[in-house]
Amino acid sequence: MKFVSFLSVVVNGEMIEYYDISGCYILRPWAMSIWELMQVFFDAEIKKMKINNSYFPLFVSKTVLEKEKDHIEGFAPEVAWVTKSGESELDVHIAIRPTSETVMYPYFSKWIRGHRDLPLRLNQWCNVVRWEFSNPTPFIRSREFLWQEGHTAFATKAEADSEVLDILELYRRIYEEFMAVPVIKGKKSEHEKFAGGLYTTTVEAFIPNTGRGIQGATSHCLGQNFAKMFEINFENEKGEKAMVWQNSWAYTTRTIGVMIMVHGDDKGLVLPPKVASVQVIVVPVPYKTVSTETLFDACAATVKCLSEAGIRAESDLRDNYSPGWKYSQWEMKGVPLRLEIGPKDLEKEQVRAVRRDNSEKVDIEMKNLAKEVKDMLDNIQQNLFDTAKVKRDACIQVVKTWDEFMEALNQKKMIFAPWCDEEEVERDVKARTKGETGAAKTLCSPFEQPDMPEGTLCFASGKPATKWTYWGRSY
Ligand SMILES: O=C1CCCN[C@@H]1CCCn1cnc2cc(F)c(F)cc2c1=O
Ligand SMILES: [Mg+2]
């Protein structure tokens, strides 16, 4: 789906309404319901991990936010400030949280005294503000967005390392099991990682239509960097004073944008059933040979039968739109399955099912309705993932030399190359590929590393390669 159509699809699909402040968007129910369905899954999963939700203030004082210069110096231009209340200047300017490390960690320091206070594992569902200037795009890059941010503290590095991967697996599930979007799990390079942390793990998605990678969600091990900065110590079992090991992890409303870009087509949105607030829309096809009331009753009974089977079904009984108009509107909104009920269907005690993913039409017997519809929805979910994976894999290009790299980059590929893992070389590749469509950067080094034949050289530096890494232009 091309960019222009992305902007029109999110508006025509009634997900987004533009707002009079640039970079800010209204999330309408059709989008908010997707966020909520994911939240139900993720919140239940972190509760199983004994992670508690909390809520910290939106505001950070300047002194606290700038406690450690190098943590935010690169981000300073993005920070939004409250400088006045009414007509009076605030003597201490207050930042709106762009992320909550500096909000939370002074209290982690206060609450964590002994090893019995560990692990401390908090999450919050909230909004954050980052006053970015690069091209704002609904869901993908906005000045305010919704996310969950997890912040955890452990006595040992091993516990932190293990939780980083547990959370990353939840992010993979969000993308692959709910959004039907294939992602690659891996580690960010030293250049691309969260500078305040020890290492960053990520699930990377790829948008075949634009040939750009996109960071899907991140799970950072912060090491003891913030413990040092905020003096978060505890007395360990040997009575020694030790610093905690911390993680922080987030996914955002960007997930919805990725899903739209991957599955959308020229008829509009295509929603995976797992995240569709309406999975089945029932549309009556009136005809003079049968009373509208009979048809409407059949639609209502169909909705009731599906709802009782746990399927999110609605009927569209509006009498001021034709069936054809309704079909295109619900296709634009991406409803996975449409059931048409006309006189003939009534006679044969069946419904005409039309799939949104491949436009296939099949007749379903009313008596097997719930089971057949459930199976079709599962099939649509799987088909969307399989189709997206084939498309994404077709974009992956293995390269060994600089020329092959440049050719693949200009063919909008997701490049898989042997790399010497030197930060200087990554900076050099960025400089050499700078262009109006943006430079190439590392996306991640996948945990699953193919073997590196003896003597393989880095595609960019010619030095001995140490790891296989995905490269590409990105959002
Ligand atoms: O990405 C995560 C997971 C959830 C908690 N935070 C981490 C790292 C966020 C990295 N980051 C990202 N963006 C920022 C923007 C700012 F304006 C700013 F002051 C600080 C940051 C900033 O620290
Ligand atoms: Mg940023």
Side-chain angles (χ1 to χ4, degrees):
M1 174 200 295
K2 273 183 297 309
F3 183 66
V4 172
S5 60
F6 172 79
L7 297 180
S8 59
V9 154
V10 297
V11 171
N12 297 341
E14 297 178 322
M15 281 200 171
I16 288 281
E17 183 67 62
Y18 276 73
Y19 191 59
D20 71 328
I21 297 172
S22 161
C24 297
Y25 307 97
I26 296 163
L27 294 181
R28 301 180 66 182
W30 202 245
M32 198 60 198
S33 55
I34 297 176
W35 182 248
E36 289 179 329
L37 283 165
M38 281 192 290
Q39 190 173 33
V40 165
F41 162 74
F42 189 81
D43 206 53
E45 287 300 321
I46 59 174
K47 280 183 166 63
K48 286 180 199 166
M49 295 168 67
K50 304 266 178 286
I51 295 166
N52 296 309
N53 281 328
S54 58
Y55 186 80
F56 285 73
L58 171 71
F59 302 109
V60 207
S61 70
K62 187 174 173 61
T63 27
V64 171
L65 184 80
E66 296 174 346
K67 186 172 176 72
E68 176 64 6
K69 275 285 179 226
D70 66 17
H71 160 227
I72 71 144
E73 110 271 349
F75 295 119
E78 294 177 16
V79 179
W81 294 93
V82 178
T83 59
K84 288 171 69 175
S85 80
E87 281 315 303
S88 54
E89 278 289 323
L90 295 181
D91 45 10
V92 178
H93 288 178
I94 292 169
I96 297 177
R97 67 178 166 229
T99 181
S100 299
E101 281 80 0
T102 56
V103 174
M104 292 173 149
Y105 296 170
Y107 300 92
F108 276 37
S109 173
K110 181 176 181 194
W111 297 332
I112 296 169
R113 295 277 138 228
H115 65 275
R116 286 182 197 79
D117 302 319
L118 293 173
L120 174 61
R121 309 173 81 180
L122 299 183
N123 177 67
Q124 66 176 8
W125 293 94
C126 66
N127 62 331
V128 284
V129 172
R130 296 174 185 176
W131 216 257
E132 309 216 26
F133 291 89
S134 47
N135 49 336
T137 309
F139 300 114
I140 300 298
R141 189 178 292 104
S142 52
R143 285 174 157 168
E144 176 188 14
F145 55 87
L146 305 182
W147 72 352
Q148 55 62 225
E149 49 178 320
H151 294 266
T152 54
F154 301 91
T156 65
K157 182 176 186 298
E159 289 169 285
D161 289 339
S162 153
E163 186 205 65
V164 164
L165 298 180
D166 291 344
I167 296 294
L168 196 69
E169 170 58 6
L170 291 183
Y171 293 154
R172 181 199 66 76
R173 292 183 61 194
I174 280 184
Y175 274 96
E176 298 198 340
E177 294 176 13
F178 285 81
M179 302 304 218
V181 169
V183 290
I184 293 168
K185 276 185 182 177
K187 205 171 166 194
K188 283 285 182 187
S189 69
E190 280 306 295
H191 184 71
E192 287 301 322
K193 77 173 190 182
F194 169 31
L198 181 60
Y199 63 83
T200 292
T201 68
T202 177
V203 281
E204 290 292 315
F206 190 77
I207 312 294
N209 300 341
T210 56
R212 286 173 176 271
I214 185 161
Q215 181 176 294
T218 45
S219 182
H220 313 280
C221 176
L222 306 179
Q224 296 177 307
N225 301 356
F226 284 89
K228 198 152 142 244
M229 210 191 295
F230 289 91
E231 294 173 80
I232 311 173
N233 311 301
F234 69 103
E235 195 178 285
N236 65 19
E237 272 125 344
K238 287 175 246 147
E240 297 149 348
K241 200 165 153 184
M243 286 191 289
V244 299
W245 291 87
Q246 289 176 272
N247 294 336
S248 76
W249 27 270
Y251 79 91
T252 77
T253 35
R254 165 180 280 197
T255 48
I256 301 172
V258 174
M259 181 271 288
I260 293 166
M261 287 185 166
V262 166
H263 299 307
D265 63 16
D266 48 13
K267 287 195 284 189
L269 295 167
V270 179
L271 301 184
K274 281 262 181 40
V275 292
S277 58
V278 176
Q279 296 172 311
V280 181
I281 188 73
V282 180
V283 179
V285 189
Y287 200 67
K288 53 182 178 297
T289 55
V290 75
S291 80
T292 319
E293 194 193 345
T294 319
L295 261 186
F296 282 19
D297 291 352
C299 291
T302 302
V303 168
K304 186 169 179 296
C305 161
L306 294 174
S307 305
E308 282 164 0
I311 293 165
R312 297 187 286 270
E314 303 281 344
S315 58
D316 182 349
L317 308 180
R318 291 175 292 177
D319 58 6
N320 53 335
Y321 293 105
S322 70
W325 192 91
K326 294 177 184 181
Y327 298 167
S328 51
Q329 200 211 19
W330 293 109
E331 283 165 359
M332 168 64 80
K333 286 175 72 74
V335 170
L337 193 59
R338 174 175 80 232
L339 302 183
E340 299 166 9
I341 303 183
K344 279 193 321 309
D345 306 301
L346 279 192
E347 251 168 60
K348 297 180 198 162
E349 296 193 358
Q350 62 186 34
V351 297
R352 163 61 59 96
V354 184
R355 291 173 52 144
R356 177 67 181 87
D357 60 330
N358 60 14
S359 305
E360 227 174 67
K361 293 181 189 315
V362 290
D363 291 329
I364 300 179
E365 308 260 308
M366 291 259 187
K367 64 180 188 306
N368 311 329
L369 191 72
K371 167 97 181 58
E372 300 253 347
V373 166
K374 172 116 188 45
D375 292 348
M376 277 183 92
L377 291 171
D378 291 345
N379 191 284
I380 292 170
Q381 183 80 28
Q382 189 59 51
N383 179 44
L384 285 172
F385 178 79
D386 296 344
T387 307
K389 189 158 184 321
V390 165
K391 262 193 233 166
R392 192 280 311 271
D393 290 349
C395 294
I396 294 175
Q397 177 89 45
V398 176
V399 306
K400 296 278 176 66
T401 68
W402 179 260
D403 291 348
E404 288 171 1
F405 177 83
M406 284 312 292
E407 191 185 341
L409 191 64
N410 295 329
Q411 287 168 352
K412 299 187 174 184
K413 299 288 185 183
M414 184 178 196
I415 295 154
F416 199 38
W419 178 39
C420 61
D421 195 16
E422 289 189 12
E423 193 163 349
E424 202 33 55
V425 173
E426 176 163 10
R427 252 193 270 274
D428 183 47
V429 171
K430 282 186 102 165
R432 290 164 72 183
T433 55
K434 232 172 178 49
E436 78 292 339
T437 50
K441 62 194 328 191
T442 56
L443 303 170
C444 77
S445 294
F447 294 138
E448 285 177 30
Q449 283 283 312
D451 71 313
M452 183 75 80
E454 191 56 39
T456 304
L457 300 179
C458 170
F459 78 96
S461 69
K463 295 176 182 174
T466 58
K467 56 175 64 166
W468 285 94
T469 302
Y470 284 103
W471 296 73
R473 292 199 170 92
S474 79
Y475 284 88

